Amino acid sequence: GRRGEFDSQGAANVAVVRQNGVYRAWYSGLYREPGSEWPRSGAIPYVRVGYAESVDGIHFKKKSLGLSSFRKNDNTNLVAGLPATPIYRPIVPTGMHIDSADPDPARRYKFLTWTGGRPVRKRADAAEEVDEQTWTLWTSPDGLRWREASRGGIQYPGGMPSSFSPQSMFHDPDESDPARKYKAYGFVGLNNDRRGAGYGYSPDAIDWIADPANPIFDSWARATPVVRNGKVQQIHDVVVWKHHQYYMALYQYQRSATDMTIELAMSRDGENFTYIQSGSEVVHRGAAGEWDSDEIAPSVPLVDEDEIKMYYSGYRFSETDLIEGERACGLATLRLDGYTHLTLEDGQEQGSATTILVDRGSATELFINASCADGSRIEVELIESESDGVLPGFSREECTPITTDSLGHRVGWGNRRLADVRNASFRIRFHLTSGGTSPELYSFGFGQAADK
């Protein structure tokens, strides 16, 4: 934005969806009095929701949300009706969620805000002052007209952290526990020297409970000790979303005040996460001097047909002041299911990987997402569930080799397909052979004959 506007210091925490051919983006607009510093009382940046649209996912035009006007010399509302005080500082998370499961059309769009810091007030029935911290749900029928939902909040049965900011939220259709149908993830302030990432759950997205096991993401899980007074070597931010049967996570790993990268984790239950190739950046920072050279932060990706769009926040610090700098939003892209892949170890010409036991259900076809080039290939065989023996007719030697690049190779063994397998369950073994380069195996899945 132009000087003095609500997003004049930049845009961050972008959430993008595509509807009817239009890319819709909600973001945090940042404004701070020039020369002020982040921690000082009265100099906390203003954070307010911004909105923009695009026809190509790259060039966005801002549009009004019809919210209260911004005046740079007061603590103006983040959205209409939110009390303005210098203590309560709402943060807009990246997890604006379109909730198709909500039967009420007026609540179809949702996001959470939180009261930043640990505001202190005196309860009417208590002689002492107590710390309080809340989450607030905002709902909308169209993503443009927002209102505060019925009063709820968040409970901390494991003890209140110094802060807990939700950064992603979604309805989980596969969750069997009604109390955990809605899930939210974000950063947890553990003390003045350390952050982690936590998880909260709710039956209705209004009343939340912070998991007593928080933080579920923590630097100790990375076997890296916390360096006191430096706020380094810690997990800083995290977003989580549902991708088929998996819970995927992009987390920001902080090694120093100016060294933060986006890395990958996954889970099968939404509570116990595995780090995938720790130390590997999913989205690489820009070269020295570029707008995103110093720090990048994640958002929930957008699966857009055969491509994954990774919208993210980038930051470049001032050469003279770590508080000053530029913040903006950028785009990186991946192939479908391209968050990570299997490849041969360096120097190896061949290798194999075997899945756990799988149940094919009613599927008649096996598809794999893989890239083979320079003479490399992948062959597939099916393994007995009770032994290590190969199912007759479905060996590596009988498999039609995969030698090209495709998101949906259909696996065949001569004239046979998965439909010809009598066994309901089996394991799958992938054999990778190098040509000039190693093949890359991204994912596999099951489908029907008409699927691609």
Side-chain angles (χ1 to χ4, degrees):
R2 294 184 297 272
R3 183 178 179 84
E5 293 183 337
F6 79 95
D7 55 357
S8 59
Q9 195 190 352
N13 305 335
V14 62
V16 181
V17 301
R18 187 182 184 188
Q19 294 177 316
N20 301 320
V22 177
Y23 295 87
R24 308 181 66 192
W26 293 261
Y27 66 94
S28 296
L30 307 179
Y31 174 83
R32 178 168 43 83
E33 291 291 343
S36 65
E37 295 183 5
W38 173 274
R40 294 179 182 173
S41 176
I44 293 175
Y46 303 101
V47 183
R48 185 167 168 233
V49 181
Y51 175 74
E53 292 183 354
S54 169
V55 295
D56 61 5
I58 299 173
H59 303 92
F60 283 84
K61 182 178 181 180
K62 288 189 288 185
K63 298 184 69 173
S64 172
L65 282 176
L67 306 179
S68 57
S69 61
F70 176 81
R71 300 185 303 276
K72 70 178 183 179
N73 292 321
D74 65 11
N75 282 349
T76 308
N77 300 352
L78 175 132
V79 291
L82 190 66
T85 78
I87 295 177
Y88 290 82
R89 179 174 57 84
I91 297 294
V92 182
T94 59
M96 200 289 304
H97 176 57
I98 301 176
D99 186 6
S100 59
D102 197 316
D104 184 352
R107 293 167 43 92
R108 197 57 47 84
Y109 292 74
K110 295 180 171 69
F111 71 75
L112 291 169
T113 60
W114 69 292
T115 52
R118 294 188 70 174
V120 178
R121 72 177 180 88
K122 193 171 184 178
R123 285 181 177 167
D125 57 348
E128 74 279 3
E129 293 183 335
V130 295
D131 290 340
E132 289 196 338
Q133 186 180 86
T134 62
W135 289 8
T136 302
L137 176 70
W138 296 82
T139 61
S140 168
D142 54 12
L144 301 175
R145 298 167 291 159
W146 293 90
R147 66 177 180 85
E148 184 177 351
S150 301
R151 288 282 180 177
I154 182 168
Q155 301 176 36
Y156 297 93
M160 184 183 292
S162 61
S163 65
F164 187 2
S165 170
Q167 296 173 294
S168 61
M169 175 187 66
F170 57 90
H171 176 268
D172 187 355
D174 302 317
E175 176 59 64
S176 59
D177 184 350
R180 299 173 184 256
K181 278 295 185 180
Y182 287 88
K183 294 176 169 57
Y185 299 81
F187 75 74
V188 175
L190 305 175
N191 52 50
N192 289 333
D193 301 308
R194 178 167 149 233
R195 286 171 70 161
Y199 158 60
Y201 53 85
S202 170
D204 54 12
I206 297 174
D207 294 295
W208 293 86
I209 295 177
D211 194 318
N214 282 330
I216 57 171
F217 286 79
D218 187 19
S219 55
W220 291 106
R222 292 282 302 269
T224 303
V226 176
V227 180
R228 293 187 62 81
N229 301 320
K231 296 185 179 179
V232 298
Q233 300 290 10
Q234 61 186 344
I235 292 174
H236 198 268
D237 291 340
V238 66
V239 295
V240 178
W241 69 99
K242 200 70 179 290
H243 184 69
H244 301 298
Q245 73 270 39
Y246 302 106
Y247 300 84
M248 305 290 291
L250 292 174
Y251 63 94
Q252 186 186 49
Y253 194 65
Q254 180 179 9
R255 294 169 179 81
S256 71
T258 58
D259 184 3
M260 301 187 192
T261 58
I262 296 178
E263 301 183 20
L264 178 69
M266 64 79 63
S267 170
R268 291 182 181 272
D269 61 9
E271 299 180 15
N272 299 282
F273 283 81
T274 299
Y275 301 105
I276 308 299
Q277 293 185 308
S278 297
S280 299
E281 297 182 51
V282 177
V283 179
H284 291 270
R285 288 166 295 173
E290 293 186 354
W291 68 274
D292 56 352
S293 58
D294 290 320
E295 172 190 329
I296 56 176
S299 298
V300 174
L302 168 64
V303 178
D304 190 14
E305 296 180 349
D306 289 343
E307 183 179 63
I308 299 171
K309 286 183 167 64
M310 311 270 289
Y311 292 92
Y312 66 96
S313 304
Y315 198 83
R316 176 174 60 187
F317 294 108
S318 164
E319 294 181 359
T320 58
D321 188 347
L322 292 183
I323 299 298
E324 300 291 346
E326 305 172 30
R327 188 179 296 273
C329 298
L331 170 64
T333 59
L334 295 170
R335 68 185 284 145
L336 196 65
D337 288 341
Y339 299 107
T340 187
H341 61 269
L342 292 181
T343 189
L344 291 169
E345 293 182 357
D346 291 341
Q348 297 298 312
E349 295 296 322
Q350 295 190 32
S352 65
T354 306
T355 71
I356 60 174
L357 190 67
V358 297
D359 187 339
R360 79 176 208 196
S362 61
T364 60
E365 299 284 356
L366 171 63
F367 298 95
I368 70 171
N369 178 350
S371 174
C372 297
D374 301 325
S376 65
R377 67 182 188 274
I378 297 176
E379 294 145 333
V380 183
E381 61 185 0
L382 305 183
I383 308 299
E384 293 271 8
S385 60
E386 301 298 330
S387 68
D388 202 39
V390 178
L391 290 178
F394 298 91
S395 67
R396 172 186 185 180
E397 291 75 19
E398 292 164 294
C399 178
T400 302
I402 293 165
T403 59
T404 57
D405 185 352
S406 174
L407 299 174
H409 296 279
R410 183 175 297 174
V411 181
W413 295 264
N415 294 324
R416 300 184 183 92
R417 293 286 190 267
L418 191 69
D420 300 308
V421 179
R422 295 182 178 180
N423 301 54
S425 58
F426 43 80
R427 288 172 289 153
I428 306 171
R429 183 167 294 159
F430 299 96
H431 294 275
L432 280 64
T433 301
S434 176
T437 59
S438 171
E440 297 176 346
L441 174 61
Y442 291 91
S443 64
F444 68 92
F446 300 98
Q448 303 301 319
D451 292 341
K452 293 183 179 180

